[in-house]
């Protein structure tokens, strides 16, 4: 079966095939139909449009505006988690209409799964104004494991503009009983007062277990290992050596001057200090093409004792184009340290609408 973009196929046809194949690769075949169904439900009307029509909304989920991105989390116990980052779209897309579509999709998800909306309800009025600003207001993460499908929501700290973002994050933490986390997080700002470090996502697990997390994400422009180390020091479980190896293997640069490095600090109920710290490196801006990105990522996976062949199969599940013919299929690679589980996550683009051409010059280490 060819999976490269065919113009007549619909967005749902394209992503449905990818998701079914990804489920098979990571041993989740029994969830394939369910996940394809949930995905189409969230995507909304854009899903039935053929791919030769342009994307109806410039979703920031992926570079080509496909409203979904896949990721595979390699877990220490040898299992894999499949996750989908999805943006809901309205029939007539726009910031306010998409937010309404997302809230309606959340209602449907809550009918399907036993979601706990308490913490979402506690912060929604902070993060979801009727006229949202910024590139998105509410995204979903659908987290698929053998045992269950879980849901996480991403809110946008920039939704009232950039200057308001730190205050919004502080207020959000406060409403969730995490007020004590804020002074510590601010104290680990790598470049205090600088606008190069920006709060970019505020994420909440929608389940009600002791493992439910709140994650605070920041984007760090023109940053490098020095900034990451400072940020990571907030979390007692950060291993500076592992972090240094990660950046050397995936990026190989002193300063990342293209797309920003991203970090997240992870909190469980009542925490003052983060339980976990993750770093996301937008590898696609620092390689010539996906063949290079795949090679670096497999090196990292092997160094961590993961089965790198699973990544080859996951890549083959989403595309059959030559990997050196484009860049961006592997969008980010992330390193997770501490709780809930350490490991590596690889983000794969659906490339429904476009494939970016290889970089003109090789960037970073070969
Ligand atoms: N596409 C956006 C970006 O690259 C948002 C995004 C999607 C993202 N997946 C991500 C950001 C994973 C960080 C990590 O910024």
């Amino acid at each position: 079966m060819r999976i490269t973009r065919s113009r007549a196929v619909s967005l749902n046809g394209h992503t449905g095939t990818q998701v079914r194949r990804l489920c098979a690769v990571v041993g989740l075949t029994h969830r394939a139909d369910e996940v394809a169904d949930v995905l189409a439900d969230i995507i909304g009307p854009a899903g039935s449009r053929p791919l030769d029509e342009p994307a109806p909304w410039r979703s920031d989920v992926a570079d080509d505006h496909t409203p979904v991105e896949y990721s595979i989390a390699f877990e220490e116990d040898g299992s894999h988690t499949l996750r989908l980052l999805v943006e809901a779209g309205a029939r007539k897309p726009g910031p306010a209409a998409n937010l309404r579509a997302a809230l309606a999709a959340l209602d449907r998800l809550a009918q399907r799964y036993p979601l706990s909306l308490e913490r979402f309800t506690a912060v929604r009025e902070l993060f979801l104004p009727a006229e949202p600003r910024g590139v998105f207001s509410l995204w979903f993460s659908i987290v698929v494991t053998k045992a269950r499908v879980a849901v996480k929501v991403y809110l946008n700290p920039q939704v009232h503009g950039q200057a308001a973002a730190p205050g919004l994050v502080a207020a959000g933490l406060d409403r969730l009983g995490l007020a004590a986390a804020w002074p510590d997080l601010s104290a680990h700002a790598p470049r205090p007062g600088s606008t190069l470090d920006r709060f970019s996502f505020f994420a909440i697990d929608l389940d009600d277990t002791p493992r439910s997390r709140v994650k605070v994400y920041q984007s760090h422009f023109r940053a490098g290992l020095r900034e990451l180390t400072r940020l990571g020091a907030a979390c007692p479980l950060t291993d500076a050596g592992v972090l240094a190896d990660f950046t050397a293997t995936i990026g190989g640069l002193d300063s990342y001057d293209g797309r920003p490095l991203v970090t997240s600090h992870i909190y469980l109920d009542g925490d003052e200090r983060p339980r976990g710290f993750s770093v996301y490196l937008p590898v696609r801006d620092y390689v010539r093409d996906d063949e290079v990105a795949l090679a670096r990522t497999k090196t990292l996976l092997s160094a961590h004792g993961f089965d790198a062949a699973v990544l080859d199969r996951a890549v083959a599940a989403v595309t059959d184009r030559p990997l050196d013919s484009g860049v961006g299929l592997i969008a980010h690679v992330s390193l997770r340290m501490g709780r809930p589980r350490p490991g590596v996550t690889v983000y794969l683009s659906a490339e429904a609408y476009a494939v970016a051409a290889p970089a003109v010059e090789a960037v970073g280490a070969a």
Side-chain angles (χ1 to χ4, degrees), residues 59-63 69 85 139 154 200-201 217 219 259-260 262 280-282 284 331-332 334 347:
S59 175
D60 193 48
V61 163
D63 297 349
E69 178 188 69
L85 173 67
W139 284 349
Y154 294 89
S200 39
F201 304 97
Y217 292 75
S219 298
R259 281 190 175 77
V262 175
Y280 312 76
L281 202 157
R284 65 198 186 283
H332 282 92
S334 87
Y347 295 75

Side-chain angles (χ1 to χ4, degrees), residues 37-220:
D37 197 47
V38 167
L39 175 60
D41 181 80
I42 301 174
I43 288 178
S48 41
R49 289 163 52 121
L51 293 180
D52 55 6
E53 291 178 23
W57 169 250
R58 293 173 62 82
S59 175
D60 193 48
V61 163
D63 297 349
D64 72 337
H65 310 307
T66 308
V68 54
E69 178 188 69
Y70 311 112
S71 59
I72 308 268
F74 290 75
E75 315 284 7
E76 279 209 319
D77 65 2
S79 70
H80 303 89
T81 304
L82 172 64
R83 302 185 317 186
L84 319 180
L85 173 67
V86 200
E87 177 164 17
R91 189 160 301 282
K92 287 198 182 131
N98 281 11
L99 172 54
R100 287 192 298 272
L103 290 169
L106 180 58
D107 282 344
R108 295 191 298 275
L109 284 167
Q111 279 164 21
R112 186 166 196 154
Y113 299 112
L115 305 187
S116 165
L117 296 175
E118 213 174 299
R119 292 185 300 159
F120 173 69
T121 308
V123 299
R124 65 177 283 176
E125 154 278 317
L126 292 174
F127 287 94
L128 301 179
E131 299 300 329
R133 286 157 67 178
V135 291
F136 81 102
S137 56
L138 181 58
W139 284 349
F140 296 99
S141 178
I142 304 298
V143 182
V144 190
T145 55
K146 269 207 174 61
R148 63 188 197 126
V149 173
V151 179
K152 165 171 148 189
V153 287
Y154 294 89
L155 299 162
N156 186 355
Q158 308 279 332
V159 76
H160 295 286
Q162 197 177 307
L168 205 49
V169 170
L173 288 169
D174 185 30
R175 296 242 179 138
L176 298 173
L178 292 166
W182 175 252
D184 178 70
L185 183 60
S186 330
H188 287 88
R191 296 166 290 192
S194 167
T195 54
L196 293 173
D197 304 295
R198 301 178 195 161
F199 290 99
S200 39
F201 304 97
F202 188 92
I204 317 174
D205 286 344
L206 296 185
D207 43 31
D208 195 13
T209 71
R211 297 197 331 265
S212 281
R213 302 159 306 166
V214 174
K215 293 177 78 171
V216 178
Y217 292 75
Q218 302 179 65
S219 298
H220 311 283

